[in-house]
Structures are given as structure tokens and as C-alpha cells.
Amino acid sequence: MDHPSAAAIFNKDEARTEWHDKALWYVRSKRDLSAKSIPEWEQLRQIASAIKAHALSNLDNYLVEFEENAKKNGITVHWAQDGKEHNEIVHSILKAKEVKKLVKSKSMLTEECHLNPYLEEKGIEVIDTDLGERIVQLSKEPPSHIVMPAIHKKKEDIGQLFHEKLGTEAGASDPQYLAEAARQHLRQNFLTADASLTGVNFAIAETGGVVVCTNEGNADLGVSLAPIHIASMGIEKLIPKAAHLGVFLRLLARSATGQPITSFSSHFHGPKPGSEMHIIIVDNGRTEQLGRDDFRKSLNCIRCGACMNTCPVYRRSGGHSYGYTVPGPIGSILSPGKDLKKYSSLPFASTLCGSCSDVCPVKIDIHTQLYKWRQIIAKEHELPWSKRQAMKVAGYMFSHPNMYRTAGKAGRAMLKVTPKTLVNGPWNVWGKSRDLPPPPKESFRDWYLKNRVKK
Amino acid sequence: MSSRSKILDAIKKNKPQLSPLPEIPEFDNETVDKVAFLNEVMSIIGGVLEEIKDMDVLPSVVEAAYPNKKIIGSNIENFPLTTLDVNSIEDPHDLQNLDLIVLKGEFVVAENGAVWISEKDLVHRANAYITQHMALVVNREDLVWNMHQAYKRLELDRPGYGVFISGPSKTADIEQSLVIGAHGSRSMTLFLVG
Ligand code: SF4
């Protein structure tokens, strides 16, 4: 399904759309307050962006350095070209120790690789332990946001879900009560798991370790109890030095939720005594993206989610409408590189307002890349029919100035007298929950001729 | 060819020209009252800051902050409130009934309330996560302003584990409502000594 159709389904429930919009805007406002409290914020973004650019420009050497140091720390390092190989490696590690239950903390990469269904098919129980992830896992949905996986759900939905799955009281929807129920349920799983898997926020070449950031402490509770720790990371997580963490940890949580830092920023440089630690380094299309001059910078992403929270389209269409593991503006520039045809509607799921680029802590030119993907999609004829027709008309108009002027005049006149129901008919997706501004009396050209040319 | 060499080769082929690595200024703030700032931050992150004059008073202030806790562990030698010797435990699962852990941390960062504790001070990594409540203890002279200064103090290039802990465990995954005590500590008090 393309984005407009999926968004239309989401928009059917107007009150919920409104609520979703506000919930995310609230997070965006917290981010603003937090960012403004740091005088050097813009400088930090600049530095972060430059560190990422540098790391990408020397990535092969940093990966080798990282591997060497990780091995010295007693970590086993694996390499996977794609999701399938990643899943097979995870399975082989678990199989060797006859693991029955794996506890997992948040990892968009394992979502991308579809690890859970793969392992479940092999008879391994997988428990997502981040509360939001557990909620979507129990309701058999993918996450709708990379930081707040269950942001699309209301507390009443979660109350009902927990009533069915965890036996909480019927009708109970108090977040405190529900979170406590999840705590008890997950603690049992932490205590009985025989392996844990975490994502990676940053991997440090210089020290051969990885950093994982959580608020709940779920990654650490899993790792500190189970005898096996597997950390899965994309190749782009590499940063050269530990000192660079100072920059990224200052930016990450502030951009994500407005917190000064997450509750736990854990630095793993080897297994705990008597345990084993594995790191799986995954490509899965990233080296290809590295080769695309226009889109390379998307690999800077530190998955803070700020571009989603600020995006007027994401806020009003929900994460699921994108149909890709990473939704929102960043997902819309990553996904076409994976499958241009399948995701051809995503670069159009944007107003190109540029707010995503403004908030991005690593200065990815997201809206420019959206625009560039549009051009590629148009060239490769992956445009939807209605857009193609509109483009043809627009193209004709722009190459015939007289006609453009006449049409403009007619349009302004028409808008004044046409009833709103006709302007905002079902064919005008832009008219959904939105009114057109009143048409101006004269065109910019007329105004310019009158006021400027004469002088 | 192994996946390793295929990936490395693809990077070599596709990577752009080497770009320079930027310098990171320290961004120190000499005028800020670090303790006052830390106090404010602690309330934002869901923790509590208590200033105490020396280590001698620690047992009584911990007791006052956390009355009636049964199973108490600590990394402080001969800490009088200790009822569970975490050093004697081999399997971290045996820490599951811990009510309170009292941990001496290395230093604290004023801008975000993050206390650094490394593996040797944690005794067990699980200590920081399996406990119901957490009290952290840091010397006043070990208060730095920001994360850049924090990393200057750190030596990470040795095997093991270390963590910045900023407040108790928390979640806002249900409708953005903040709930303190997600999986780990339900409360956190930082005692600043000296
Ligand atoms: S693209 Fe930028 S704003 Fe969006 S998630 Fe990534 S780092 Fe955050």
C-alpha cells in the first residue's frame, strides 16, 4: 500500500489523528527547550555531523581497528552482509548453547532483519523488553516510531491488551498500573532468559566497545543476568574515539525526548566474568548507500526520532503508514535506496518544509534528499498516476507564461466564489483537516509590475 | 570471499574522500554554580540530591531516606547498613531480592546528573539494575561540568563495563506519561559528600 492510502486509513479517526499529532508535538517542544538551554548547541550539531562524515570517509579502517580492539577485550566479532546472514549468526550462537529464551532490548536493526519471526520459527522464544516494544510485540504490530514504539496506542488500547495477555484488571488504563504489571511480567523473563541481545547506539574504534542508551535499564538488566550478550550493529555506528561520545550523548537524548541524557548510558567493553559477548557488524545495503553521493549523509543518523516528532506529515499519518522499519522523514530517504519501486511514495510523504533538517542533531539534509529521491523516482517512472498527470499539466503551464497567468487569474477568481465543499472535496488530499488560505487579490507578478518596475 | 572482506571492499570502493576530524572544545562554564545546577537537573531526571558533610553521616542519611529496607547491598567497605554481601555472591540472579544498593561512584556530571560507575565499583553489573532502589555516593570534588570533561577523565580502553546513571529507571512508553521504576531502580538519591 502506498503512503497516501495508508495515511487515509489512519486519518479516518479524526480525534485520534489529532491526539497523535499533539502527543508528538509535545515531544518536539521538549526537545526545543532542551536544545535552547545549551549555548553551543549549533556548534555541537556541526561537530557531530563532521565526526560522522569523517568516520564514513574512513570507515573500512575504523571497522578493522574496532574489530582488533574488540577482540582484545574478549569479544567475538562477526560480519554479516545482509539480514539473512545476521539472523543465521544469531541463531548459530544461540544454538551452540541451546538457548530457549532470548531477551532483547530495542534494536531497529533486528527489526530491519526480521530477526524475531526467524528465531521463533526455530523454536526460540524472543521477548522484547523495552515497554513500548513489548506492547507492539504483544499486539503483533511493528513499532510505529523508533524511540517510542507504541506512540500510536492510547492507554485504553494498552489496558485492553494487557488484560488479555497479562491478566491485568479489565478496563484498567492507568499508565503507572500498566507499567508495573509489565515490570513484574518482564522481570520473570529477565530472570529466566539464557541469552540477551541489544542494539548499539555507538561503537568506538579506539577502544573496541559499544555504547547502549536506555531509560528503562532493560538492556542492562538482560545483559547483566544472562550468560550470553549479542550486540547487533550497522556499520555506520562507528565513531573514532571515546571523546566523541561527549558530543553525541549530549545531543541524542535532548533531541529524542528533551532529557539531558538517558537514564543509563552503558559502555560494554567485554563480557562479564564467566560470560560471552558477541558483536555482529551488519551491512544490509549500507555500503551501497555509502556510494551514493547525494544520499550518503543519511548514514549519519543516530536514530533520535526528532525528525519524526517534528514532521507534520508523520504526526498526522502515523508511523505505520510508511510501511518501512524506520518511518518518518529519515525512513523516507533510507527506504528508496532499498527498494525504489516499493517505497516510491515515501519521498512524497513530505511538505518539504525542512523542519526535519532543522532539528536533526547530525545535520542530515533530509528535505533536500527527499527532493532528490523525487527526481530519481520521476525519472524512473515510479510516480503515481495522479502525480504524473499533475506534473504534465504543471510542466505545460510553466513553459507557457501567458497561459500560466490566465490560469492564475482564473484560479484566484474561482477560489473566491467556489464553495468550500467543492475546493476541499475528497480528491484534494491537501484539503483534509485543512482550509486553503483566502486567495490573494492580485498575483505577485501584478503587484511587482505595479510597485517595483515603475520606480 | 568472506563477508568481512566483501563489506570492507565495498566500503573502500564507495567511501568518499577523507574528510577532516573536527576538534572538540571543552565548552567549560566557569560561572555556573555546579551544585545548584545539579540540584535542578536531579529534579528533572526524577532523582534527589542530598549534600552531606562527610562519609560518617552516610548510614544515618541513607537510613532516613530509605527506611525499613530489608536487603541492602553496597560497594562501600564495612558499610553498616549492609545485609547482603554482594562480593560473596557468584550468580547475579541471587541479587533478585535486593531492596537497596548503595554505590560509591567515580564522578558526576552537573549538566545531566550522570554518575559514572565502572565494573569494579559495581561488583556485579546487575547491582545497578536489579535493585528496587538506588543510592549513589560521589565526592563533591568529583563534580565536573559537562560530558566533554567527563570523557577526559575516563579510561575506557580496558576490558569491562561502565555506565553513566542519570536518575532512576523510567519509561514514558504509555501515552508519554512518565513512570518511574520501569525495570530497575524505583528511586535514586545522589549523596554529594564534602
Ligand atoms: S535523521 Fe536526524 S533527526 Fe531523524 S532520527 Fe536520524 S538523527 Fe534523528
Side-chain angles (χ1 to χ4, degrees), chain A residues 54 67 85 132 183 220 263 267 269, chain B residues 3 19 160-162 166 173 184:
Chain A
H54 167 81
E67 179 188 42
E85 192 176 4
R183 175 186 174 106
D220 295 275
S263 302
H267 299 53
H269 282 81
Chain B
S3 292
S19 68
Y161 175 81
S166 168
D173 274 348

Side-chain angles (χ1 to χ4, degrees), chain A residues 72-309:
Chain A
K72 274 188 219 149
N73 292 336
I75 301 167
T76 313
V77 180
H78 311 257
W79 301 71
Q81 271 194 286
D82 52 25
K84 181 168 167 282
E85 192 176 4
H86 165 265
N87 295 350
E88 286 164 2
I89 293 169
V90 174
H91 183 238
S92 71
I93 297 168
L94 300 180
K95 202 172 151 212
K97 290 282 153 79
E98 289 172 32
V99 167
K100 304 243 155 33
K101 186 189 286 189
L102 172 75
V103 284
K104 236 179 94 211
S105 73
K106 205 181 298 158
S107 149
M108 291 319 291
L109 177 62
T110 57
E111 290 286 339
E112 179 186 318
C113 299
H114 306 292
L115 177 69
N116 288 17
Y118 174 88
L119 289 179
E120 278 155 7
E121 215 171 85
K122 306 259 180 214
I124 294 169
E125 191 185 358
V126 184
I127 309 280
D128 279 322
T129 59
D130 171 81
L131 176 57
E133 291 240 305
R134 186 63 182 150
I135 291 168
V136 293
Q137 188 185 31
L138 286 174
S139 64
K140 301 199 165 51
E141 289 172 277
S144 71
H145 188 287
I146 58 175
V147 175
M148 301 165 284
I151 187 74
H152 61 291
K153 280 190 151 3
K154 303 198 80 162
K155 56 180 194 267
E156 291 79 16
D157 307 335
I158 298 165
Q160 179 60 28
L161 179 73
F162 279 16
H163 173 59
E164 284 162 25
K165 307 279 179 174
L166 307 181
T168 54
E169 273 170 56
S173 66
D174 172 45
Q176 182 89 38
Y177 169 77
L178 296 176
E180 181 63 31
R183 175 186 174 106
Q184 301 302 339
H185 153 73
L186 287 166
R187 204 160 250 245
Q188 281 322 306
N189 284 300
F190 280 122
L191 288 166
T192 51
D194 26 27
S196 74
L197 188 147
T198 68
V200 167
N201 289 94
F202 305 98
I204 314 145
E206 171 192 51
T207 63
V210 297
V211 173
V212 180
C213 306
T214 75
N215 276 324
E216 299 183 5
N218 56 320
D220 295 275
L221 191 49
V223 174
S224 61
L225 290 172
I228 301 171
H229 174 197
I230 303 171
S232 296
M233 59 175 266
I235 53 171
E236 82 284 15
K237 298 289 171 195
L238 250 290
I239 57 172
K241 292 173 191 303
H244 297 148
L245 287 166
V247 176
F248 290 106
L249 292 192
R250 293 187 81 193
L251 289 167
L252 178 60
R254 287 185 174 98
S255 299
T257 59
Q259 291 170 259
I261 190 169
T262 50
S263 302
F264 305 102
S265 311
S266 313
H267 299 53
F268 294 97
H269 282 81
K272 63 183 179 295
S275 296
E276 51 187 87
M277 178 173 174
H278 301 261
I279 291 177
I280 310 178
I281 300 171
V282 184
D283 179 346
N284 206 31
R286 288 162 176 76
T287 50
E288 236 179 294
Q289 191 82 334
L290 184 67
R292 298 181 177 116
D293 285 341
D294 285 345
F295 304 110
R296 172 180 305 124
K297 223 175 169 185
S298 62
L299 294 171
N300 281 13
C301 179
I302 56 172
R303 302 286 190 267
C304 73
C307 57
M308 289 157 215
N309 307 339

